[in-house]
Each structure stands twice: as C-alpha cells, then as structure tokens.
Amino acid sequence: MGEIVAYPAFWIVAALSIGIPVAFLIGARFLALRLAGRSQGAAAAERIVITVPRVRSPWKALRDLALIGVMATGTAIILVRFMFGLGAVTNLSDQFALGFWIGFDVMSGVALAAGGFVMAATVHIFRIRRFEPLVRPAILTAFLGYLLVIAALLVDLGRPYNVWRPLVHWQYHSVLWEVGICVATYTIVLFVEFLPVILERVNQIEAITRRLPTVPLYRWLKKVSIVFVILGVVLSTLHQSSLGSLWVIVPQKLHPLWYSLYLPVFFWLSAVAVGFAMTIVESNLSSRAFKRGLEQHLLAELGQIASVVLAVYLAARFVDITARGAWPRAFEPTLQAATFWVEIALGVIAPMILFAVPSLRRNPKVLYGAAWLVVLFGVALNRLNVSWLGLLSYTGNIYSPSWMELVVTVTLLGFGVLAFYLAAKYLPVFPEEGAHETH
C-alpha cells in the first residue's frame, strides 16, 4: 500500500474521483438555475434535499457503515486496477483470462436485466395491459443493469481505452463483436424507453418547458414507443443468445454437462425465465424500500408464466444431455457434477414446482423465494458454470477469484441499488398508490 500511495498518479486519480462528483453537482445546480430562473430553479433544487440519515437502530447503523466501507474499498480497488493493471487485483492469467467478472458481472448481469425486454414485450407487443404497472420498474432495472455491465466490462478489459473500437471497426464474423454492438445499442434503446419517465418530471417545471421542446419530445416518444420496444426485443434476443454462442467454440474445454451447440437457445430461454423472476424480486424489494403496495396478483401470474418457460428450458436441457450421452458425467464425484445438480435442482426444478402450484405461488413469501432461486441458482450459477467452473475440468484448478474481485462486484451492485433507489424516489417510476389494485 505504501508503494501505491507513493505514486503521483494515485493522488491524481483520488482527486479526480472526488472532484468530478463535486463538479457534477455544482454544474447541475448551475444548469437548473440558468434554465429555470434563479427563483424557480432554487425552488426546484430544494425538492432534492440531501438529509443526514438518522440512526434508526445500532444494527442498521452498523449495516450501513459496513456497506459504505465495502463500497469505499471496492472503489479504491478499481482505482488500483486502472493504475497497476488486472494482475494487481485479480487472479487472472494468460491461461485463464475470463474470470468471475465476465461470468457474474457481465454474463449474469445481462441475463438478470432481461426483465426490461420481457415485460415490455408482454405489455406492448402481446398487449397484456394489466402488467403495465410493472413495466417502468423493469425498464429502469434493465437500464441500470446494462450500465453496470458496461462499467464491469471497462474494469475487466485489459485495455479499456479501446472499448470504442468495435463501434468503428466492424468485424461481421465475430460473435463477440455482435454482442458488443447489441449491448451498446440496446443500452441506448433502454434510455429512450425510460426517457418519458424523466420528461414527466422535467415537464412539471414551466421555466424549462418554455425554453426547451421537452413536451413535444415527450409526445413524440409516446407515439413511437412501440418501435423502440420491438427494437429492444430484437436486440435482446440477439445478444442474450449470442452470449451462449461465445462458448460454442470450446467443445474440448467446456464440461459436457454444459457444452452444447444449442447453448444460444438455452441462454435465451433462461434469460426469459429470469426476466419474469427478476421482476418479482425487484417488485418485492422496492415494495419494502418504499413501503408501497405489492402487485401480488400480477406477480403470481408472472410466476405461472415463468414455470412454463422453466419447464421448456428443463426439457430442452435434458433432451440435449441425453442426445449427447453426457448423463454419466452427472454422477461422477466431481465439482462439476455437484454444481450441475445444484443448478438444476434449486435453480430450475424447485422454482418451477413452486411457481406452478396455485396455492404456493399465491403465497408472497414462497413466490419471492422461488424467484430468488431462479436468479441465484438457475441463471447466476449457470453462467458461472459455463464461464468458470465448467472449464476447470480441462484447465485444472488454476483460477479462483481473489477477494478484491468479489469486493468490486459487490461495489458495482451497491452502486446499482443506490441508483435505482434515487431514480425511484425522484421520478414517477411506480404508479400512484390506488391507481391499480394492490394486495
């Protein structure tokens, strides 16, 4: 640590990490005053009040301090990574170049953000309007999720300053290029889909609407929203499946319990299932955070749909394993066999049953728990099995994530949760209480 502090670059990065947020806050306030006029701008700015949190209980205060400590540590590790390279904070090597950040932060992150295109398609393409109260939170979750994926990718790339090159140097035959283009484009589409929510708040400030065409923009976006919904579904289908295609090129390295030419199909099916599950998880968490009603009847319907998707996914996986004659590998005393059964039993079969039985899915706690099973074991563990644990049978046990890799992941998740909380607090993300039936 002493060597790190001795570098002038450390103090430059530390100063920038503090100076940039301060400059952003001052600039935003100056812009608000200039656009809205000093008196109205001040009034608008006062709506966003930063208050000193009250100590509700020693346990909660200790928990908050621990979270702040982890996020501060993670931020410092990210700075060290950019100063001294990946080798300073990770256990990655030339023999194992794609580790925990790719498996969890990127691959799982993309899948867990699938609620955006799943709910948008359900409401706007299939016209099942009763799910509309769930669309905006799902879009916000997806948008923030993709921003975190991009942030994680920048941390993981050996030369992050070259991240723009795929946008200019098109490699038509590269699956990775297609994934990069789709992720970049879909992030923009998600921003456009979420922009009306921002404009609804902005359009309440008369001084801004007099100076900027925000009202016509809002009306235009509402008219053409279906175009962006369809574009989002197409882009999501392409890159969700293509993330599976990346591993089709390693038939000799990936364990037979996961390697398949149909990996793109499995990745897409599991993304659809976890899209519904993540919507259930996000609704429950936001209900507790903002003390708002829970759309339990709608969430139970999502669980029922997810059970059908999980059944199709399970049948496809079992048929594929049977056709390839890989079942004997599932009963060997290996790490891969153990994680395979954990993934299938806890992440697919158990939630499929819990979602399918009406009396169980109507129980909020059971529904919430089943959704978490899909998220943690059905998708997150599956992506780690494909990108990490399933490769160890070929490479040997040459990689396990360092504690700093884990802390960075927790830090990025923390920033995502904080961003969702602030957006949901200051923007009309959720429908007004009483606007729909709550239970």
Side-chain angles (χ1 to χ4, degrees):
M1 189 65 187
E3 296 179 356
I4 296 174
V5 175
Y7 276 83
F10 173 83
W11 296 105
I12 294 174
V13 173
L16 289 176
S17 65
I18 298 172
I20 290 175
V22 171
F24 175 79
L25 291 174
I26 295 174
R29 185 177 179 81
F30 174 77
L31 187 63
L33 292 172
R34 293 288 299 174
L35 288 175
R38 181 163 296 276
S39 59
Q40 294 185 40
E46 287 173 358
R47 293 173 189 161
I48 302 176
V49 180
I50 300 175
T51 58
V52 178
R54 292 176 298 177
V55 178
R56 293 162 290 180
S57 69
W59 163 244
K60 291 182 178 178
L62 186 63
R63 180 198 62 186
D64 293 342
L65 285 175
L67 289 174
I68 293 172
V70 170
M71 293 180 66
T73 304
T75 303
I77 292 172
I78 292 173
L79 292 176
V80 172
R81 173 264 172 271
F82 282 117
M83 293 169 58
F84 300 101
L86 290 170
V89 299
T90 73
N91 287 337
L92 295 172
S93 63
D94 291 340
Q95 289 71 40
F96 209 105
L98 304 179
F100 187 78
W101 287 343
I102 290 296
F104 187 85
D105 297 15
V106 176
M107 293 177 60
S108 299
V110 167
L112 298 179
F117 89 89
V118 168
M119 292 310 303
T122 301
V123 172
H124 297 297
I125 295 179
F126 297 108
R127 294 186 174 278
I128 309 177
R129 298 293 187 187
R130 61 181 179 276
F131 290 113
E132 194 151 7
L134 304 176
V135 172
R136 286 187 172 188
I139 294 291
L140 175 60
T141 303
F143 179 52
L144 294 175
Y146 275 82
L147 290 180
L148 290 178
V149 166
I150 294 172
L153 198 58
L154 289 173
V155 175
D156 189 67
L157 286 175
R159 297 180 178 180
Y161 46 84
N162 284 331
V163 71
W164 57 273
R165 290 189 179 277
L167 301 176
V168 180
H169 305 293
W170 289 23
Q171 304 294 328
Y172 303 102
H173 302 292
S174 168
V175 176
L176 190 58
W177 173 82
E178 185 253 319
V179 171
I181 290 294
C182 283
V183 169
T185 310
Y186 184 50
T187 304
I188 297 172
V189 169
L190 282 170
F191 173 72
V192 174
E193 288 187 85
F194 191 69
L195 189 55
V197 181
I198 301 174
L199 291 176
E200 285 182 11
R201 181 67 74 205
V202 170
N203 288 341
Q204 292 178 356
I205 304 175
E206 183 181 351
I208 292 180
T209 58
R210 283 203 312 267
R211 292 170 170 80
L212 298 175
T214 54
V215 174
L217 176 61
Y218 173 79
R219 291 171 180 164
W220 180 79
L221 287 173
K222 297 293 284 185
K223 288 181 181 178
V224 301
S225 61
I226 187 63
V227 176
F228 290 98
V229 170
I230 294 173
L231 184 59
V233 172
V234 172
L235 291 170
S236 295
T237 299
L238 286 173
H239 71 266
Q240 293 282 1
S241 58
S242 292
L243 280 172
S245 302
L246 291 174
W247 305 96
V248 172
I249 62 175
V250 290
Q252 305 301 324
K253 299 179 180 178
L254 184 57
H255 196 280
L257 290 174
W258 292 283
Y259 179 80
S260 169
L261 289 176
Y262 298 100
L263 264 176
V265 179
F266 299 151
F267 266 49
W268 184 81
L269 280 173
S270 57
V272 173
V274 83
F276 292 117
M278 268 304 293
T279 304
I280 295 172
V281 170
E282 169 269 313
S283 294
N284 276 271
L285 292 177
S286 59
S287 172
R288 298 178 184 187
F290 297 102
K291 303 186 186 317
R292 51 180 291 275
L294 189 63
E295 305 88 348
Q296 185 59 36
H297 59 301
L298 297 178
L299 301 183
E301 285 191 61
L302 292 186
Q304 186 178 11
I305 299 171
S307 71
V308 176
V309 180
L310 287 172
V312 173
Y313 172 69
L314 181 67
R317 288 285 304 273
F318 278 11
V319 168
D320 175 69
I321 293 174
T322 303
R324 291 185 291 105
W327 276 118
R329 304 296 298 272
F331 299 98
E332 296 175 347
T334 61
L335 171 67
Q336 286 72 30
T339 56
F340 169 77
W341 284 115
V342 171
E343 173 196 327
I344 294 297
L346 294 182
V348 183
I349 296 176
M352 180 184 69
I353 295 173
L354 295 174
F355 284 148
V357 179
S359 60
L360 293 177
R361 70 169 175 263
R362 283 197 291 267
N363 185 318
K365 293 182 179 178
V366 173
L367 186 73
Y368 184 48
W372 268 117
L373 288 177
V374 179
V375 170
L376 295 177
F377 298 105
V379 170
L381 179 58
N382 171 262
R383 299 311 191 253
L384 290 175
N385 280 334
V386 171
S387 64
W388 170 29
L389 299 174
L391 296 171
L392 295 182
S393 58
Y394 174 82
T395 65
N397 190 20
I398 62 172
Y399 169 77
S400 59
S402 69
W403 68 270
M404 289 185 281
E405 291 176 74
L406 301 178
V407 171
V408 168
T409 295
V410 174
T411 300
L412 292 176
L413 285 174
F415 280 121
V417 172
L418 180 62
F420 184 94
Y421 176 81
L422 293 175
K425 185 173 183 179
Y426 294 111
L427 296 174
V429 174
F430 298 106
E432 295 293 333
E433 292 289 344
H436 58 86
E437 185 182 359
T438 59
H439 295 267

